Amino acid sequence: MGLFNVLTNQVKAAVGYQQSLTELLDAKDVSRALTMMHDHSIVAAKNLRDYEVSSHKIMERKDRAVYDKNGNFLRWSKRWKIPIPYQPFINEIALVFLYGRPVKWGQLSEGTDEAFENYKNLNDEVHFNARVREAKRAAGSEGTAAILYHVYRDKEDNPRLLLNVLCKKNGDDIYTVKDQYKRLTAFAWGYYLTEAGNRTVYHVDIYTADTIYRAKRGNIGWEVAVLQNPVGKIPVLLFEQEVEHAGVQAMIERSESLESTDADVNDRFANPAMVATAEILNSLPKSEDEAKLFILKDGGKIEYLTWDQASQSKANEYERLDKHILSKSFTPNIDFDNMKNLGNLSAKAIRKVMLLAVIKAEKRKETHDDYMNRHGSIMLSIMGNVLDYKNKSKYEALKLTHEFQEPFGDDVSEMLADVLKQYGAGALSLQSTLELSYLVKNAQKEYEQISKEQAEALERQMALNRTDVFGEGE
């Protein structure tokens, strides 16, 4: 064998060239399989440190050592560490403007009302609206999060569905593999479980469209159980984005540094200090005395030294930092005073005031539209393949649509008046009018009830007409 072939084979072996991810998993070589996947946990952990108040960089500030003239240590002088929770504020505002009100689902297909009702009921059963907000909050703080659709059997052996939000804050490691078109081809979830003997063991669940690998790290190698994926899709909704405070982290750290330094300066100089000549030092009243009497001798003089004002340039910097942190993260300054000034503005007027957050929400919809489409696709696969497989064809026929709702609602009275006007002009059907009315909770049931009442009213009217024509008793 030539030298070139030897080197080539060594390189192929080193990078796992001859073994695909599936082959490595079938061989129970989970460690090497994970190296072929993209590990999101390192960046997520770093982002989480910036996000959590307790781990802000300012918290690393050390107390100052105080020494005497001879260099002997006297004491520690406290230095303030004041973190400012800008990151959670920015993240929560972004979350409210995207998922503050639940996603509104609709159907584009016909004859699929039963399947659509089952879909909406299952969303409520698994608390999807709460889980998607939780996942979006985690993605906004860490950069990556996921919703895992876990199917299982309950005590009565009935198939059930559970949504589990995965993120670094919850102790989860997320690994992914994507193809050249950025489609997810494999997903892995790493987590720790405490088992018998109070022993903590690392587990990894790896999902492909066909197979689920449940791996557990043993004393020697990995224990791997291979299961068929009943869903037929990777049951994961992956959230990926830059953190909501991206671009303003340095300004936040500067603001925290200024705040902490000013607190130290205030402790040292903000309170008045007494200045006195040596002649009266021995006659100063005790601090616990209620009445103070200063006896001045031989031209003694006493006065107080006070700090008149802080630097204007520092005050200007505070104002600039706060303005740039919020505006450059597309976050409106929402506080009590600003909200009070909004008064009775309409939803359209409030939308203009909150334009920065609206712009950011519109940007997020570029990806979250796809996320909601994928959620619908996964849910229908689970319903058709696992939960209600007898009616699989009905779920395959259901075509879903979704709409993000405004966080402050719409001017419903104005909208309803316009809808009724369109209905009266014959531009809208009764069914569409009911669907657009904010007063109607279930448009289909309301339509059926109205149709029933109209039929009964028509029947009574026809009975009266017959009585008028033929007379009573005919």
Side-chain angles (χ1 to χ4, degrees), residues 417-428 433:
D418 186 50
V419 169
L420 293 175
K421 181 180 178 181
Q422 297 293 323
Y423 174 66
L428 283 177
T433 301

Side-chain angles (χ1 to χ4, degrees), residues 337-349:
D337 291 333
N338 289 334
M339 293 302 295
K340 183 173 62 176
N341 293 333
L342 294 179
N344 294 321
L345 292 179
S346 66
K348 290 182 179 179

Side-chain angles (χ1 to χ4, degrees), residues 438-456:
Y438 70 96
L439 297 172
V440 177
K441 302 301 181 183
N442 188 316
Q444 182 61 30
K445 289 184 178 180
E446 194 71 22
Y447 179 77
E448 293 173 357
Q449 182 64 28
I450 291 175
S451 299
K452 179 181 177 182
E453 292 175 357
Q454 289 177 341
E456 292 174 350

Side-chain angles (χ1 to χ4, degrees), residues 1-50:
M1 181 182 294
L3 178 61
F4 177 80
N5 290 333
V6 172
L7 293 175
T8 301
N9 289 337
Q10 289 178 347
V11 171
K12 287 183 179 180
V15 300
Y17 180 85
Q18 294 175 326
Q19 288 183 298
S20 66
L21 178 67
T22 302
E23 290 171 338
L24 290 172
L25 292 173
D26 291 339
K28 299 184 179 182
D29 194 350
V30 178
S31 297
R32 285 186 63 191
L34 291 178
T35 62
M36 296 180 64
M37 307 182 77
H38 177 60
D39 184 359
H40 296 265
S41 60
I42 298 174
V43 174
K46 187 270 178 189
N47 290 333
L48 193 58
R49 286 194 296 272
D50 292 339

